[in-house]
Amino acid sequence: MGYVILLILNLCTPFAALGVVIFFLISPRRKLLRNLRYELSQRFVLRRQGQKIKKSLWIHAASVGEVRSVIKLAKLLKEYYGCELIITTSTAAGQNTALKEPLFDKALLMPVDCYPLIKRFIKFYNPKYLFIVESDLWPNMISACANNGVKVSIVNGRLSERSARRYKLISPLTKMLFKKMTFICAQTEEIAQRYISSGAAADKVYSCGNIKYDLLNDSPSKIEEVEEVFRALGWENAFITVCGSTHEEEEQIIISAAKELKEIKFVIAPRHLERKKQILRALKDSGLRYASLSSYKREGDLKDCQILLADAMGWLGAFYKKGTVCFVGGSISRCGGHNFLEAAVFAKPVIFGQYYYNTPDVAEALLKSGGGILAGEKDFAAKLKNLFDDKALLAASGAAAGECSLSFKGATDRTLKVVEKYGK
């Protein structure tokens, strides 16, 4: 039955591809097709890019985040297998990120998931191993590789409850595909069990942790620049709450807290910088003194400035390190929470909301250790004031957060041990 579903998917692929092209042509997003000729060449594997390869290692990562997370592991895999390294991505943004990394011998766009196209890709680039990062699983990619002598594995595997329920709707196909896997390295034991329930062989599924946590950096760039900003604002000895990856609802809560807690300074680093004008409007309407990272040098007297809008990329880690307390967004607004450990690694208390379903293991570990503090719209200001008033609590919570962050490292080494178990 699994092969029947796969056949139906292949028959539907040309119509689906045509539908997507038509949609973009008539939608405001048609500008995304400006590189259509280049994309078609790679999506339909019209020609081989570069010289013929005798043997390669193929990594597939969906987009920017997955590409960045796999770099350390990819380097180790390349050394272990001793062959050229090809990476494919589902998005152009992911490919652009991979192209900047010298580690990859080729960075290509993922072909359309049609069996003949994947088979041609295999013929052109001769991969012997395919490692799929996280959850970007394509039926024909897996099936064509397994049928043509390419070992297929999942690393840093992620499978949500929602996806697992969807897999049950096409269980003949998913069971067939998971049985073709050489092994699966899942981020958590809970995720590992979901793979097994979806049809993967229990003796081939391992709980290895999340490799992106091995990239945690407690020495970020721009430390000196942040110190300069804080001096300009007169915040050298201030209690500073750094609010990272925020969304609209959370920014309103932060502004309300700032009105109540005049003695506390705030940095707002929004998740989406394209919302800058909207945030500036909200800050202006609040009546509070504020400045912007991009223009504070031109804003004259910064005395009594209480909020800094971090409207530039690449500064968040340094702000977390030089701040006093961290709030991680996407957790009061219902987005599942962003990277809590990115803040915890600096041994600072981490405040977040109840919606942390993206990384429940991390959130619950932080809460259990005391390094994480749960807050919502009604008690955000109160929880912050507790830390401001109780220096012993502030120090203990920060130390616990730092220690907790270290416990999540080591997934890359554990994953490599699984790779070595199955040999070359």
Side-chain angles (χ1 to χ4, degrees):
M1 186 62 181
Y3 287 103
V4 173
I5 297 175
L6 194 62
L7 176 61
I8 294 171
L9 288 175
N10 277 283
L11 293 174
C12 292
T13 296
F15 301 101
L18 180 61
V20 170
V21 172
I22 292 174
F23 168 78
F24 275 114
L25 286 174
I26 63 177
S27 78
R29 301 182 69 197
R30 57 183 172 272
K31 62 182 180 180
L32 295 178
L33 292 176
R34 61 185 178 274
N35 296 322
L36 182 60
R37 182 178 297 180
Y38 170 78
E39 286 221 13
L40 287 178
S41 175
Q42 295 195 22
R43 298 292 191 189
F44 289 92
V45 202
L46 298 182
R47 61 178 181 273
R48 183 177 59 238
Q49 306 292 317
Q51 299 297 315
K52 187 174 182 179
I53 299 173
K54 292 183 178 180
K55 176 184 176 183
S56 72
L57 164 66
W58 177 12
I59 291 177
H60 176 67
S63 193
V64 176
E66 291 82 358
V67 171
R68 288 175 175 167
S69 73
V70 82
I71 287 175
K72 182 178 178 180
L73 177 61
K75 181 179 180 181
L76 295 173
L77 291 173
K78 187 175 183 180
E79 291 173 356
Y80 178 72
Y81 288 113
C83 56
E84 290 195 41
L85 179 57
I86 295 173
I87 187 167
T88 57
T89 63
S90 295
T91 68
Q95 184 190 32
N96 290 336
T97 300
L99 285 169
K100 297 174 185 176
E101 177 52 58
L103 171 70
F104 301 115
D105 296 291
K106 294 186 188 301
L108 308 168
L109 290 170
M110 167 68 189
V112 172
D113 192 53
C114 182
Y115 196 95
L117 297 182
I118 301 296
K119 191 172 180 180
R120 189 189 309 172
F121 183 94
I122 294 169
K123 181 179 178 181
F124 279 177
Y125 300 108
N126 202 24
K128 299 303 178 185
Y129 317 92
L130 167 62
F131 291 93
I132 302 170
V133 183
E134 293 198 15
S135 59
D136 204 33
L137 308 182
W138 295 94
N140 287 294
M141 176 173 67
I142 296 169
S143 188
C145 283
N147 294 344
N148 287 274
V150 183
K151 295 181 179 179
V152 184
S153 301
I154 298 174
V155 294
N156 213 39
R158 180 166 57 87
L159 181 60
S160 67
E161 284 187 39
R162 186 178 181 183
S163 295
R165 287 195 298 270
R166 288 176 175 174
Y167 283 177
K168 287 182 180 179
L169 299 176
I170 51 171
S171 59
L173 176 62
T174 55
K175 288 179 179 179
M176 179 189 77
L177 296 176
F178 282 136
K179 287 187 183 301
K180 293 179 182 292
M181 298 285 177
T182 302
F183 61 81
I184 298 173
C185 291
Q187 293 180 6
T188 67
E189 182 60 40
E190 186 179 16
I191 292 173
Q193 290 303 316
R194 289 184 194 136
Y195 279 117
I196 294 169
S197 298
S198 298
D203 61 343
K204 294 183 178 181
V205 180
Y206 304 84
S207 176
C208 295
N210 193 328
I211 62 175
K212 75 178 180 181
Y213 297 145
D214 289 337
L215 303 178
L216 290 173
N217 178 17
D218 60 1
S219 300
S221 60
K222 300 191 181 297
I223 291 294
E224 292 180 0
E225 291 90 333
V226 166
E227 290 174 344
E228 179 186 337
V229 173
F230 285 172
R231 281 195 297 271
L233 296 174
W235 289 8
E236 298 100 316
N237 300 309
F239 187 105
I240 303 170
T241 302
V242 179
C243 306
S245 301
T246 60
H247 297 257
E248 180 179 3
E249 177 186 355
E250 292 159 339
E251 289 147 10
Q252 291 298 328
I253 293 169
I254 293 162
I255 290 171
S256 296
K259 290 179 179 179
E260 183 178 339
L261 305 171
K262 295 293 186 180
E263 62 273 43
I264 295 179
K265 309 298 184 183
F266 294 84
V267 176
I268 297 177
R271 182 67 175 178
H272 303 293
L273 284 180
E274 60 266 27
R275 296 180 47 251
K276 174 181 174 178
K277 289 184 179 178
Q278 176 189 348
I279 299 168
L280 286 173
R281 193 159 50 244
L283 289 171
K284 183 177 180 180
D285 293 343
S286 73
L288 297 169
R289 288 275 289 158
Y290 67 91
S292 298
L293 179 61
S294 61
S295 59
Y296 75 94
K297 292 181 179 179
R298 303 191 301 271
E299 292 179 10
D301 183 14
L302 297 173
K303 185 179 179 181
D304 299 325
C305 176
Q306 193 179 359
I307 298 178
L308 174 70
L309 174 62
D311 56 346
M313 297 288 288
W315 291 69
L316 183 56
F319 277 122
Y320 277 151
K321 186 174 179 69
K322 300 305 295 183
T324 312
V325 174
C326 304
F327 166 73
V328 179
S331 56
I332 294 180
S333 63
R334 302 188 182 198
C335 299
H338 298 300
N339 194 342
F340 302 136
L341 291 184
E342 187 180 14
V345 71
F346 299 112
K348 304 292 170 70
V350 184
I351 300 175
F352 51 87
Q354 64 178 315
Y355 301 106
Y356 51 73
Y357 50 80
N358 285 343
T359 53
D361 54 329
V362 173
E364 288 164 10
L366 281 169
L367 292 173
K368 184 177 180 180
S369 71
I373 298 168
L374 200 64
E377 178 180 2
K378 294 181 180 179
D379 63 351
F380 179 80
K383 294 291 180 71
L384 199 50
K385 192 172 190 308
N386 285 344
L387 291 167
F388 179 82
D389 292 338
D390 191 337
K391 297 298 184 286
L393 174 63
L394 178 70
S397 182
E403 187 174 342
C404 182
S405 71
L406 295 177
S407 70
F408 281 88
K409 291 195 172 188
T412 302
D413 290 338
R414 288 190 288 272
T415 300
L416 189 63
K417 286 182 180 178
V418 174
V419 171
E420 293 171 342
K421 178 180 178 179
Y422 287 86
K424 300 180 181 181

